[in-house]
Amino acid sequence: MTVDRDNASLPPKAGVMGWPVEHSLSPHIHRYWLGRYGIAGDYLLIPVPPEDFVETARGLARDGFVGANVTVPHKLAAFEAADEVSAVARRIGAVNTLYYRDGRLIGTNTDGTGFLENLRQGAPGWDPGAGPAVVLGAGGAARAVAVALLEAGVPELRLLNRTRARAEALADALGGPITVADWAARSETLAGAALLVNTTSLGMVGQGPLELALEALPRRALVNDIVYRPLETDLLARARARGNPVVDGLGMLLHQARPGFELWFGRAPEVTEELRQLVLEAAA
Ligand code: ATR
């Protein structure tokens, strides 16, 4: 067996590299799973300024780590630090998880699968092929969501962003059945949709409201907000009130953490109600 890190006799540890990183909820998630499965290991905050990121990431094994999550502002720099980057991370254009395989540092991205797993757990009957998906926003989160939805086989993806050029750039980069519409026409764009996802920061505590009339949205359409502060955003509350199935955004955060935990600690963890409550309390 290849020894992937120094100090391999010590309990495995992983962590999250960011700057700043104090507010990350990832330690709450991974430490909960370590405790639940009785695994001797740890998950730490790794504050790293941009100028030190590549060197620190390359030295993870030397410092006794089995891998790490990567968060703002390092998700692009991680391409440089990794020996190899997965196809999905390249397509999303960001690395959020680093792990070792045969002594090589591999970068991948679990946001898209986290998004899909959250929908699958929260709305078990949801079928990506059922109809068009409307995605609001064109930032990093939208990119992961769009990649996942295209991969899952949505027949049409309607992409809308306040800055339309960003949506067009994303559509060009990804290819596939994406149509870009005007932010001003967002309410009309909901006609005939089977899924609506808000990936903008609108509706989050401290941000402006998401102004979006839902009349044109079919009542069977699934509505998901990746904002989870508050857990039930105004969008989700209004969608629920008119009878749409809804899935909140906390699950994406929890599900994106699962592949990393399994890669580092060798056990596929579950997203439980207890974990949701614990992370909600930590986020409050
Ligand atoms: P993330 O990586 O979390 O997606 P981001 O890249 O900063 O973060 O993207 C934030 C998204 O919220 C963008 O789609 C942004 O729209 P712009 O590209 O036009 O900036 C969207 N957003 C933020 N504030 C907004 C507002 N007041 N009205 C409409 N969209 C907004």
Side-chain angles (χ1 to χ4, degrees), residues 70-278:
V70 178
T71 189
V72 178
H74 305 312
K75 289 184 174 192
L76 271 180
F79 278 80
E80 201 185 321
D83 296 312
E84 194 181 317
V85 173
S86 71
V88 71
R90 280 201 300 273
R91 191 148 157 80
I92 294 174
V95 162
N96 77 343
T97 303
L98 291 167
Y99 64 100
Y100 287 93
R101 197 176 55 202
D102 300 332
R104 288 163 59 77
L105 187 62
I106 316 290
T108 191
N109 191 306
T110 64
D111 283 334
T113 51
F115 163 76
L116 277 185
E117 290 298 308
N118 182 39
L119 292 195
R120 293 200 167 113
Q121 185 173 18
W126 175 67
D127 168 16
V134 177
V135 174
L136 305 178
R143 206 173 162 108
V145 165
V147 165
L149 288 174
L150 292 174
E151 200 92 331
V154 292
E156 181 191 346
L157 200 161
R158 301 175 186 163
L159 195 58
L160 300 86
N161 194 48
R162 173 181 59 179
T163 311
R164 184 180 167 124
R166 264 184 114 187
E168 287 180 347
L170 182 53
D172 286 348
L174 296 184
I178 304 182
T179 54
V180 174
D182 260 347
W183 184 246
R186 59 195 179 279
S187 297
E188 297 92 275
T189 309
L190 303 179
L195 174 69
L196 166 64
V197 185
N198 174 44
T199 77
T200 75
S201 45
L202 296 173
M204 191 188 297
V205 171
Q207 303 286 319
L210 172 59
E211 285 165 12
L212 179 69
L214 296 179
E215 280 71 25
L217 185 71
R219 283 202 162 70
R220 62 180 177 282
L222 178 60
V223 180
N224 171 234
D225 200 327
I226 68 160
V227 169
Y228 57 84
R229 267 186 278 220
L231 188 61
E232 175 136 301
T233 58
D234 171 66
L235 169 66
L236 293 184
R238 288 190 295 121
R240 186 197 300 280
R242 68 195 288 280
N244 289 91
V246 301
V247 174
D248 68 58
L250 182 62
M252 178 172 170
L253 172 75
L254 303 178
H255 280 279
Q256 65 76 31
R258 292 177 62 234
F261 189 89
E262 185 174 5
L263 288 161
W264 304 319
F265 301 115
R267 168 103 195 222
E270 289 165 286
V271 171
T272 61
E273 191 50 41
E274 190 184 20
L275 174 62
R276 281 175 57 87
Q277 290 310 322
L278 185 145

Side-chain angles (χ1 to χ4, degrees), residues 14-24 44-60 62-63 65 67-75 77-78 81 98:
V16 52
M17 307 175 77
W19 188 257
V21 76
E22 292 72 37
H23 299 296
S24 171
L44 308 169
L45 291 173
I46 313 173
V48 193
E51 59 273 21
D52 295 342
F53 175 78
V54 171
E55 200 194 328
T56 308
R58 285 189 181 279
L60 280 170
R62 178 200 61 215
D63 295 336
F65 287 91
N69 283 125
V70 178
T71 189
V72 178
H74 305 312
K75 289 184 174 192
L98 291 167

